[in-house]
Amino acid sequence: MLVFRSAMLAMGVVCLGAPAFGQSTGAPPATPPGNGEPAATRPAGPPPGFSFGPPRRRPLTIGFGGALSPSYEGSNDYLLLPSGIIRGNVEGFNFALRGLQIGVDLIRDKGKKGLDFQAGPVLGINLNRANRLIDPQVSLLGKRRVALETGGFVAISKTGIVPRSFDTLTARLQIVGDVSGVHRSYVITPSIEYSALATPKLQLGASLSGTFVGDGYARTYFAVDAAGSARSRLPVFANPRGGFKNFTLGANANYAFKGLLRRGWVVFATVSYSQLQGDFAASPIVSIAGSRNQVFGAAGLGYTF
């Protein structure tokens, strides 16, 4: 079922179109993870596309578009959402809106090629099951409050992986925890991200990531208690365990239809596939009311100043 709706968030849905938090805004960014997940949970993610050429002083990229995302994590109903991206550099410090999270690389960008070490704080929100629930059985289980998550990331990037090519390979680890008392748990996302310039006007990227969560996350978003079972007629699934939640494969492309990638107008497109694992796939909200196979797609228009 496809539903068009105006989302409460018009920014940050396109995590695959955003660079890693610490990625130099001048070098080709690596593709972010997708929080493999619908827009509601993505870090992304992450979670990438938007590379616009050689470093320039204080670049700023803004993009808008549309995204197709599951209505909740594990849903087989999809929502068409407005989406966007903001990223830039202030005095050598990179920042990016990555999915529904914003991060800042506190290691100053020196503008040199080779190895780039990145680390910094992350702040974001988790909208899983906080938006409209299309499935009638899952809607009877009730919504969840918006979770505020904070933590940090570390990453290392290497440019020039393939000889005579302008490419970047990034290994990244992000850890965030709920500080709002919603799921009272953690989300750990390791990822490998690669991007390269195919032509002066076209950049391509790919990523592989996994997501690990705690028991509190599993119970909050995937459990069905006795009362919920009576209302929804879904079987009781009272105590799912945390662990490896999903893997995500992502791909993206950016094309400068006027000028070069380093400045001006660029069209972006991104897609990711995620598969839920273990108790997350076995939950009735997934195995009966939804699907363990999750797809996310987005496209739009960006401009680098």
Side-chain angles (χ1 to χ4, degrees):
M1 178 178 182
L2 177 63
V3 176
F4 178 79
R5 64 186 287 256
S6 177
M8 63 181 293
L9 283 179
M11 299 299 298
V13 178
V14 189
C15 73
L16 284 176
F21 291 136
Q23 179 77 37
S24 169
T25 52
T31 313
N35 201 358
E37 305 136 274
T41 58
R42 251 172 223 287
F50 285 102
S51 167
F52 295 87
R56 295 181 300 107
R57 187 179 181 185
R58 299 182 180 180
L60 175 65
T61 299
I62 299 177
F64 296 94
L68 189 66
S69 174
S71 67
Y72 66 86
E73 194 171 7
S75 175
N76 59 359
D77 299 313
Y78 283 76
L79 302 174
L80 186 58
L81 308 170
S83 63
I85 176 177
I86 298 177
R87 71 174 183 85
N89 181 290
V90 177
E91 299 297 336
F93 296 102
N94 294 303
F95 66 90
L97 184 68
R98 180 185 178 98
L100 297 176
Q101 298 175 332
I102 187 167
V104 180
D105 180 11
L106 296 182
I107 301 178
R108 189 185 295 272
D109 179 19
K110 299 183 184 306
K112 296 180 179 179
K113 294 183 178 180
L115 290 178
D116 179 23
F117 296 95
Q118 308 144 25
V122 177
L123 177 66
I125 58 175
N126 187 328
L127 297 180
N128 192 19
R129 292 179 62 179
N131 284 321
R132 178 182 174 185
L133 299 174
I134 301 173
D135 186 275
Q137 290 180 289
V138 177
S139 66
L140 290 173
L141 297 177
K143 292 184 177 182
R144 301 294 183 261
R145 293 187 294 113
V146 176
L148 177 65
E149 297 172 339
T150 186
F153 75 96
V154 293
I156 181 171
S157 295
K158 175 70 169 67
T159 59
I161 300 299
V162 178
R164 298 182 181 180
S165 68
F166 193 19
D167 63 352
T168 301
L169 180 67
T170 300
R172 188 174 187 276
L173 177 65
Q174 175 176 295
I175 302 176
V176 297
D178 173 32
V179 294
S180 56
V182 176
H183 60 77
R184 296 183 173 88
S185 188
Y186 60 84
V187 180
I188 301 174
T189 309
S191 64
I192 297 292
E193 309 164 355
Y194 177 78
S195 67
L197 288 178
T199 74
K201 288 179 172 288
L202 177 64
Q203 182 188 41
L204 302 175
S207 68
L208 171 64
S209 67
T211 304
F212 300 82
V213 300
D215 291 344
Y217 190 103
R219 289 192 296 267
T220 299
Y221 298 114
F222 293 88
V224 179
D225 60 17
S229 176
R231 292 193 304 270
S232 67
R233 297 186 179 181
L234 290 171
V236 173
F237 194 70
N239 194 34
R241 301 295 301 272
F244 180 40
K245 180 170 67 70
N246 65 274
F247 70 83
T248 302
L249 298 171
N252 68 80
N254 299 298
Y255 179 74
F257 62 89
K258 186 176 182 180
L260 299 178
L261 288 167
R262 66 178 179 268
R263 184 173 184 178
W265 293 100
V266 173
V267 176
F268 66 86
T270 181
V271 64
S272 69
Y273 167 78
S274 177
Q275 186 181 87
L276 293 167
Q277 305 293 309
D279 280 0
F280 307 98
S283 169
I285 73 168
V286 178
S287 61
I288 297 176
S291 172
R292 70 183 299 186
N293 299 303
Q294 304 281 280
V295 177
F296 174 85
L301 187 65
Y303 188 85
T304 294
F305 298 89

